[in-house]
Amino acid sequence: GFATIGKRTGTKVRGTVSKVNATGLVAKGSISREEVAAVINKHLSEIQYCYEKTLLKEPGLKGKLMIEWVINVDGSVGKVKQQSSTLANPQVASCIMSSLKRWTFPKPRGGIVVVSYPFIFSSV
């Protein structure tokens, strides 16, 4: 789907966000990479929205955004932070991080889990 933002202009953009592969995840604690990847993939449309909304203002925006977050013992998301970014616009990261705080993961076994994941963005 295309993101159409701004009813008056009718401008359409299309960007891709790479689907999550469990091998790209770094997780400390006991939750499987596949469980984490499944939740990220379930919310991929939110990530895509954050990217495409900014892409409308900055066509050609692309890069990699490394986000780190804590999965609490109840599966909720605790602290979220940007580790690094090659995206020239901080709005994408702040949109993704506020979205991520609302996600729920399977309850980790034996304590909290810290996850680092690189989101890759490219315009189409």
Side-chain angles (χ1 to χ4, degrees):
F2 286 89
T4 304
I5 301 173
K7 300 271 185 250
R8 279 175 252 165
T9 62
T11 306
K12 290 189 179 196
V13 295
R14 175 82 192 218
T16 60
V17 181
S18 300
K19 192 163 173 114
V20 176
N21 180 331
T23 57
L25 290 169
V26 177
K28 302 168 186 157
S30 61
I31 187 170
S32 79
R33 291 173 178 214
E34 291 74 20
E35 288 173 305
V36 174
V39 174
I40 296 171
N41 285 328
K42 185 175 124 188
H43 292 278
L44 214 52
S45 62
E46 295 169 40
I47 304 295
Q48 183 121 12
Y49 171 79
C50 289
Y51 176 53
E52 289 182 346
K53 165 172 97 162
T54 306
L55 198 58
L56 277 169
K57 298 175 201 145
E58 290 185 45
L61 180 70
K62 63 182 179 180
K64 180 170 120 176
L65 174 64
M66 181 70 94
I67 302 278
E68 179 182 287
W69 66 93
V70 172
I71 301 173
N72 295 319
V73 292
D74 65 355
S76 67
V77 174
K79 186 178 175 188
V80 178
K81 71 178 184 179
Q82 175 182 311
Q83 282 187 318
S84 63
S85 177
T86 61
L87 284 173
N89 189 310
Q91 291 176 339
V92 178
S94 64
C95 177
I96 290 170
M97 291 188 297
S98 63
S99 183
L100 212 152
K101 288 175 186 169
R102 295 187 299 270
W103 299 359
T104 303
F105 290 84
K107 292 178 183 174
R109 295 159 294 285
I112 65 165
V113 173
V114 178
V115 177
S116 291
Y117 187 75
F119 293 96
I120 312 292
F121 303 94
S122 55
S123 59
V124 174

